[in-house]
Each structure stands twice: as structure tokens, then as C-alpha cells.
């Protein structure tokens, strides 16, 4: 028996030593992980049970209706689409109208090669989130000083992939019925299928299922002639035009970078700015149904490589995935996701 205890103590000592050494060698990653854990725990800890919210006479009835609506969406996604609801969306965190999470993406200035962060479990990831704006701003500045194009901005929702009980965020309640359905189904897709070190596939998958699921839900819940479905289709039609234009613009820039790889940095920058300015002007030629949404999009800040990479990450594979869903799986999302999970 003493030998067994000695063996266990030895194993614990070895494991502890390995963890400590790894922590010392990866101190910045440990500090980042700790800050993320604190931020997430703060939100989960301060989220209120929905029963408490619904019984609060001071909480607006219109927002209570949106909360009930989220529950209907999540139940539909679970029952009709085969998505994993877990124990999510049973609480609400009041953001008090403020942003609570920001993400950075970064990319080479003259090549569409994304900057990659490496994390345990998740693997290589081409974005990094922060619950502390200043902390993310500092890292964004460092990346820019190292010569990267960056995109740093607010995130309205995220999935903890089952590690925590994801709450409803109060800012979600500002969304229309269609936007809310797409968002909830998108995040539930992440909680159902997540492939390590494959951010583009994960996000494109969640985007495709979110959009297709929202169309099916709105049709089922409100009817095929409903205003909610019509409004969502109009918004989606404009967004589809925009994303296709951005993806074509990405390809145009990529072709440019391949041609000018031997040019000087100053020559590259001039040609890059010229093409981006032409892309911005070309946006006016697109026949949007609601053109005001896009008319002044780049009036304050011009897009860069990191901005264009976002469309590759979220939208470049959607059409192919949807075709595969319909042709190979007869439109059955649950069966399709089971096949994806096997990967």
C-alpha cells in the first residue's frame, strides 16, 4: 500500500512540475487565460435567472416578450434542427448598453496570411477575444507596430462551447426577430459542432446554419407571407450582395499581391491603396434594396486586409455548404451536422 501511495505522490509531483514549467514558459498565455476566465465568470455569476427577470414589474414587457421569443427559437433549433441547446439562455446578463467583449484579427499587409494564436484545446485560432478593452487595444497596437493589418471591434455574442451556461445578453434584445433567430441558431451551432484548429470552417458552418435556420424558423413561426420573414429576406439579400462583393474584392487584392511580391514596400502600399479606393467607390454601383446601410460604411475608416479576411472566415464557404446540405443530405440539418461531427 505504501508503494502505491509513493507512486501516486510521484505522479502528482511530476504533473505539478510539468504544469508549473509550462506556465512559466507560457506566462503571457496563462495571464490571458486568467483574464478571460475572470471576464466569463463575472458574466455568468452576475447573470440573473429568467424567472427573476420575468417577475420583475420594472422590467419592460416588450423585452420580456423578446426573452420568451428566444426560448421559442432555441426550442425550435433543438427540436427541428437537431442543435444542442445545453443549459444556455436560461439567464440574462444586463450589459447596461455597453460593449463587454472585443476581438482582434490580424493579417499580413501584402498577403492574405492571417495571424494565428495558439490555445490549448481550441488549437490555432485566427482571432483573439478580450473582456478588457484596454488589454485588447494594447495588443492591437503591438500587432500594428509589427507591420500587420488589424481589425479590432466589439462582439455582440459568443459561445463558450458548453464550458459555461451561456446567458442571454441584454443587447441581444435590440435585434429584430430575424436577426435574433439567426444569432441564436448561429451560436447553438457552435455548441453542437466545433472542429479544432479550423476557425474558417466553424464560422462558415455556423453562419450558413444560422441563416438557413432563421429562414425556416421565421416561415414556421410567422408564416411564409409574414412581415418578419420578408424583412429578414430583404436584409439577407443585401448582405449577400455585400459579402459577395467583399469576397471578390479580397480575390482582386490577392491577385494584386501575387503580382507585386517583388515590389518595394512603398510601391506595394500605393497600389494597395489605389485598389481599395476603387473597391470603396465600386460599392455605390451595387443595387441594394436598402442602400443606406452601406452608403457610408467606409466614410471614417477604410478596409484593410484583416477586414477582408473576416468575409473569408464567415462567408466564403456558405454557398458550397448549403449546396452540400441540400444535395447530399436532402436539406436535413440534423443529419448534416452529425456527419460534420464525425470529422
Amino acid at each position: 500500500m505504501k508503494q502505491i501511495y509513493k507512486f501516486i505522490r510521484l505522479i502528482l509531483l511530476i504533473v505539478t512540475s510539468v504544469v508549473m514549467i509550462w506556465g512559466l514558459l507560457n506566462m503571457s498565455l496563462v495571464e490571458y487565460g486568467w483574464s478571460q476566465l475572470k471576464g466569463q465568470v463575472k458574466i455568468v455569476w452576475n447573470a440573473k435567472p429568467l424567472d427573476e427577470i420575468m417577475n420583475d414589474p420594472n422590467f419592460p414587457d416588450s423585452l420580456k416578450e423578446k426573452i420568451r421569443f428566444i426560448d421559442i427559437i432555441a426550442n425550435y433549433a433543438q427540436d427541428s434542427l437537431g442543435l444542442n441547446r445545453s443549459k444556455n439562455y436560461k439567464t440574462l446578463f444586463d450589459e447596461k448598453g455597453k460593449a463587454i467583449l472585443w476581438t482582434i484579427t490580424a493579417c499580413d499587409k501584402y498577403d492574405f496570411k492571417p495571424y494565428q494564436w495558439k490555445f490549448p484545446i481550441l488549437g490555432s485560432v485566427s482571432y483573439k477575444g478580450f473582456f478588457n478593452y484596454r488589454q485588447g487595444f494594447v495588443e492591437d497596437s503591438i500587432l500594428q507596430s509589427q507591420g500587420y493589418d488589424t481589425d479590432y471591434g466589439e462582439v455582440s455574442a459568443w459561445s463558450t462551447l458548453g464550458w459555461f451556461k451561456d446567458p442571454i445578453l441584454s443587447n441581444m434584445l435590440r435585434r429584430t426577430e430575424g436577426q435574433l433567430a439567426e444569432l441564436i441558431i448561429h451560436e447553438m451551432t457552435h455548441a453542437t459542432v466545433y472542429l479544432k484548429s479550423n476557425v474558417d470552417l466553424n464560422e462558415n458552418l455556423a453562419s450558413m446554419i444560422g441563416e438557413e435556420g432563421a429562414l425556416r424558423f421565421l416561415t414556421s413561426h410567422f408564416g411564409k407571407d409574414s412581415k418578419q420573414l420578408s424583412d429578414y429576406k430583404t436584409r439577407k439579400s443585401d448582405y449577400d450582395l455585400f459579402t459577395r462583393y467583399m469576397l471578390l474584392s479580397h480575390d482582386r487584392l490577392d491577385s494584386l499581391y501575387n503580382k507585386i511580391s517583388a515590389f518595394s514596400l512603398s510601391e506595394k502600399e500605393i497600389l494597395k491603396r489605389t485598389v481599395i479606393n476603387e473597391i470603396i467607390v465600386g460599392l455605390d454601383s451595387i443595387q441594394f434594396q436598402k442602400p443606406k446601410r452601406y452608403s457610408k460604411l467606409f466614410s471614417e475608416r477604410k478596409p484593410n486586409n484583416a477586414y477582408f479576411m473576416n468575409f473569408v472566415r464567415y462567408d466564403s464557404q456558405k454557398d458550397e455548404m448549403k449546396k452540400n446540405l441540400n444535395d447530399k443530405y436532402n436539406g436535413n440539418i440534423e443529419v448534416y451536422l452529425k456527419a460534420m461531427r464525425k470529422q
Side-chain angles (χ1 to χ4, degrees):
M1 186 64 70
K2 288 182 179 180
Q3 293 295 326
I4 294 175
Y5 286 140
K6 284 183 180 180
F7 179 74
I8 293 174
R9 285 200 298 270
L10 177 61
I11 294 298
L12 290 174
L13 178 61
I14 292 172
V15 171
T16 302
S17 300
V18 169
V19 170
M20 290 179 66
I21 292 170
W22 184 90
L24 290 171
L25 294 174
N26 298 272
M27 188 57 69
S28 62
L29 183 59
V30 172
E31 290 174 352
Y32 170 75
W34 177 244
S35 69
Q36 290 300 96
L37 180 63
K38 286 194 298 181
Q40 188 65 62
V41 168
K42 177 184 176 182
I43 291 170
V44 173
W45 184 262
N46 289 290
K48 295 182 179 180
L50 292 187
D51 287 345
E52 183 178 332
I53 298 293
M54 301 305 276
N55 290 325
D56 182 356
N58 297 316
F59 196 83
D61 289 340
S62 60
L63 298 185
K64 289 180 181 178
E65 193 60 35
K66 280 286 182 72
I67 290 173
R68 294 188 188 97
F69 187 64
I70 287 175
D71 189 57
I72 293 170
I73 296 168
N75 285 336
Y76 174 88
Q78 178 177 262
D79 298 338
S80 300
L81 306 179
L83 300 184
N84 180 18
R85 178 171 181 168
S86 302
K87 295 182 180 179
N88 294 339
Y89 310 124
K90 298 292 186 180
T91 59
L92 182 137
F93 178 77
D94 186 1
E95 299 173 86
K96 303 186 185 304
K98 300 177 181 179
I100 57 174
L101 181 69
W102 299 263
T103 61
I104 296 176
T105 57
C107 186
D108 286 7
K109 268 189 175 296
Y110 308 107
D111 185 8
F112 282 111
K113 181 181 179 182
Y115 186 91
Q116 298 279 351
W117 289 269
K118 293 184 179 180
F119 301 106
I121 302 174
L122 296 179
S124 297
V125 180
S126 56
Y127 57 78
K128 190 174 184 181
F130 295 88
F131 287 101
N132 182 307
Y133 177 83
R134 180 64 185 170
Q135 184 183 10
F137 179 80
V138 169
E139 182 148 350
D140 181 62
S141 300
I142 291 171
L143 287 167
Q144 288 186 37
S145 70
Q146 292 174 347
Y148 290 98
D149 275 357
T150 66
D151 189 45
Y152 183 50
E154 175 187 350
V155 175
S156 58
W158 66 94
S159 171
T160 62
L161 307 180
W163 288 89
F164 295 98
K165 298 176 183 178
D166 297 351
I168 296 169
L169 303 176
S170 57
N171 287 352
M172 290 181 181
L173 304 180
R174 300 174 179 175
R175 293 173 176 256
T176 65
E177 292 89 344
Q179 290 174 305
L180 200 49
E182 181 184 320
L183 176 68
I184 296 300
I185 295 171
H186 180 112
E187 299 304 335
M188 286 179 66
T189 302
H190 281 315
T192 304
V193 178
Y194 190 88
L195 304 180
K196 182 178 178 180
S197 297
N198 206 330
V199 170
D200 289 1
L201 188 145
N202 288 320
E203 294 299 349
N204 272 271
L205 178 65
S207 294
M208 187 276 285
I209 298 298
E211 293 172 7
E212 180 64 19
L215 287 168
R216 295 185 188 188
F217 168 76
L218 294 171
T219 303
S220 172
H221 187 74
F222 293 108
K224 63 180 182 179
D225 298 320
S226 64
K227 183 178 184 302
Q228 292 86 348
L229 179 60
S230 176
D231 287 349
Y232 179 72
K233 283 183 173 180
T234 298
R235 189 181 188 92
K236 185 178 181 306
S237 175
D238 280 354
Y239 182 72
D240 287 345
L241 287 173
F242 179 64
T243 56
R244 285 170 188 146
Y245 182 71
M246 289 293 106
L247 287 168
L248 288 172
S249 300
H250 163 276
D251 293 346
R252 181 181 174 186
L253 282 166
D254 189 39
S255 178
L256 172 70
Y257 298 148
N258 289 331
K259 292 176 182 177
I260 64 173
S261 59
F263 287 25
S264 68
L265 290 180
S266 59
E267 289 174 319
K268 288 180 178 179
E269 186 60 27
I270 290 171
L271 290 168
K272 175 183 177 180
R273 287 183 182 179
T274 299
V275 171
I276 288 179
N277 286 335
E278 291 173 357
I279 290 169
I280 293 172
V281 171
L283 196 59
D284 292 336
S285 65
I286 300 177
Q287 299 299 309
F288 294 116
Q289 296 185 59
K290 301 286 186 180
K292 287 185 178 180
R293 292 173 181 161
Y294 301 97
S295 60
K296 297 182 179 180
L297 188 61
F298 302 120
S299 59
E300 296 183 3
R301 184 182 178 187
K302 293 182 179 180
N304 60 20
N305 284 2
Y307 179 85
F308 288 109
M309 281 296 297
N310 286 330
F311 294 94
V312 175
R313 181 174 299 115
Y314 287 92
D315 302 291
S316 60
Q317 302 175 45
K318 290 190 308 186
D319 290 344
E320 182 181 348
M321 287 178 169
K322 186 173 180 180
K323 186 177 187 303
N324 191 33
L325 166 66
N326 291 326
D327 292 351
K328 191 173 179 180
Y329 299 94
N330 198 31
N332 190 315
I333 289 177
E334 183 173 5
V335 175
Y336 175 69
L337 290 178
K338 285 180 179 178
M340 294 294 291
R341 241 194 320 264
K342 290 180 180 179
Q343 297 183 33

